[in-house]
Amino acid sequence: MRKIIRKKISKNIWLILIGTILLLIIINFPFLLLILVLFLIFFFRRGKRKEDELKKICRDFYQGQKFVAIDLETTGLNPRKDEIIEIAAIKFDKNGKGDSFVKFIRPRGYVPFEIQEMLGIPISKIMEEGKPFREIQGEFISFVGNSPILGWNLSFDLDFLRNNGIELLNPTIDVMKLAQDLLPSEIYKKGRRRRVRRRFYLLSIARDLGIYIRDIQRAGSHAFLCGKIFEKLMEQLKYKYFRENI
């Protein structure tokens, strides 16, 4: 009993001390109070703006807006020197997966063997079925239309498209960042006593949400997983903001 009383007294003393120090700082440096107030206003307004954006995305989705999930497979990570060898775009709305656009792109240069091995596609198949990128540009742009674009680490895909002559002005949603905002950063894993940090990789998040698919290293598969994860996140937002029908 004495220990509990001592702990409470000790805690109260620290609170009084901290409060006194803050009061003295504010009295002697009133501009710090102004900075603190401005910071809180900025932080609140930023959070409110983000919440309004999420509500709009969710409302649009459940009111029938089509979203297009895109993904590219490339010969490397540098959009200035590496090439696109496969492009995929899949439409999603509240009813699920819609039309899809998946094409091989015939590269001008060499495709590293490890890329061929990862995709499980021989270069001969890509060269035989693929077309030069300029020949499918118009078809891809027409397919995407004005729909909002989804992607996983979307800036990577947009940089490659931009360096190949496609500057998309559509609204964009990076589903990876959306997942980081909405999903807990730590989860319980089987065989672990403590929670572990969540890995925000496309396949990891898909598994966490119960989404599975074969041929996981293809552009079409990645676009599909991205769209399905987006659907799951929209379900969470609907439950959070719109308990009633929208």
Side-chain angles (χ1 to χ4, degrees):
M1 187 68 180
R2 287 181 180 178
K3 288 183 178 179
I4 295 173
I5 293 172
R6 285 176 183 173
K7 284 183 179 179
K8 286 185 177 180
I9 292 172
S10 177
K11 184 178 180 181
N12 289 332
I13 289 173
W14 276 108
L15 289 174
I16 292 169
L17 182 61
I18 292 169
T20 303
I21 292 171
L22 288 174
L23 184 61
L24 288 172
I25 291 173
I26 289 170
I27 291 172
N28 290 282
F29 305 97
F31 69 91
L32 290 178
L33 177 61
L34 177 61
I35 292 173
L36 178 62
V37 170
L38 291 174
F39 174 78
L40 291 174
I41 292 172
F42 171 78
F43 186 79
F44 174 77
R45 291 186 65 180
R46 184 181 178 186
K48 183 70 169 60
R49 193 182 305 118
K50 193 168 191 176
E51 184 178 282
D52 290 343
E53 289 174 0
L54 293 175
K55 285 181 178 180
K56 183 182 184 307
I57 292 169
C58 184
R59 189 183 293 110
D60 289 347
F61 179 76
Y62 282 105
Q63 288 180 349
Q65 172 70 60
K66 281 183 167 55
F67 293 77
V68 180
I70 67 170
D71 190 78
L72 308 175
E73 295 300 336
T74 64
T75 59
L77 302 177
N78 189 331
R80 294 185 177 179
K81 67 176 185 178
D82 294 314
E83 298 185 73
I84 300 170
I85 53 176
E86 189 177 27
I87 186 169
I90 302 177
K91 293 181 179 180
F92 286 87
D93 59 22
K94 64 180 180 179
N95 298 313
K97 175 181 174 291
D99 297 335
S100 59
F101 174 94
V102 183
K103 300 284 185 182
F104 283 128
I105 307 299
R106 189 185 304 155
R108 297 184 298 273
Y110 170 70
V111 178
F113 177 73
E114 58 268 22
I115 299 295
Q116 300 177 48
E117 193 174 42
M118 181 182 70
L119 296 177
I121 308 168
I123 188 61
S124 58
K125 184 177 177 68
I126 296 174
M127 298 301 290
E128 181 182 343
E129 298 183 12
K131 295 181 179 179
F133 189 80
R134 64 180 180 276
E135 292 186 18
I136 62 92
Q137 268 184 303
E139 192 178 351
F140 174 77
I141 293 171
S142 176
F143 180 86
V144 172
N146 296 320
S147 299
I149 296 170
L150 310 174
W152 197 266
N153 190 23
L154 184 56
S155 60
F156 174 86
D157 303 289
L158 295 179
D159 284 346
F160 265 91
L161 291 174
R162 194 175 296 114
N163 277 275
N164 281 273
I166 295 181
E167 181 73 48
L168 295 171
L169 302 178
N170 309 45
T172 58
I173 301 167
D174 191 323
V175 180
M176 180 182 74
K177 292 179 180 178
L178 189 63
Q180 290 171 337
D181 288 338
L182 299 179
L183 298 177
S185 60
E186 294 184 337
I187 55 173
Y188 285 103
K189 291 283 188 180
K190 289 183 179 180
R192 301 284 186 91
R193 292 186 178 181
R194 297 180 179 179
R195 291 185 298 177
V196 297
R197 289 196 65 79
R198 188 190 292 274
R199 301 171 67 188
F200 283 92
Y201 301 142
L202 177 65
L203 301 183
S204 298
I205 297 300
R207 282 194 294 266
D208 290 346
L209 296 177
I211 305 167
Y212 300 93
I213 193 172
R214 295 181 180 179
D215 300 325
I216 57 176
Q217 291 301 334
R218 297 288 301 280
S221 301
H222 287 177
F224 174 79
L225 289 177
C226 183
K228 297 302 289 184
I229 290 171
F230 178 73
E231 285 182 355
K232 294 284 188 180
L233 297 177
M234 289 303 99
E235 290 175 10
Q236 290 192 17
L237 285 177
K238 183 182 179 183
Y239 180 79
K240 181 177 181 179
Y241 294 127
F242 308 103
R243 297 290 180 94
E244 72 282 2
N245 291 328
I246 57 174

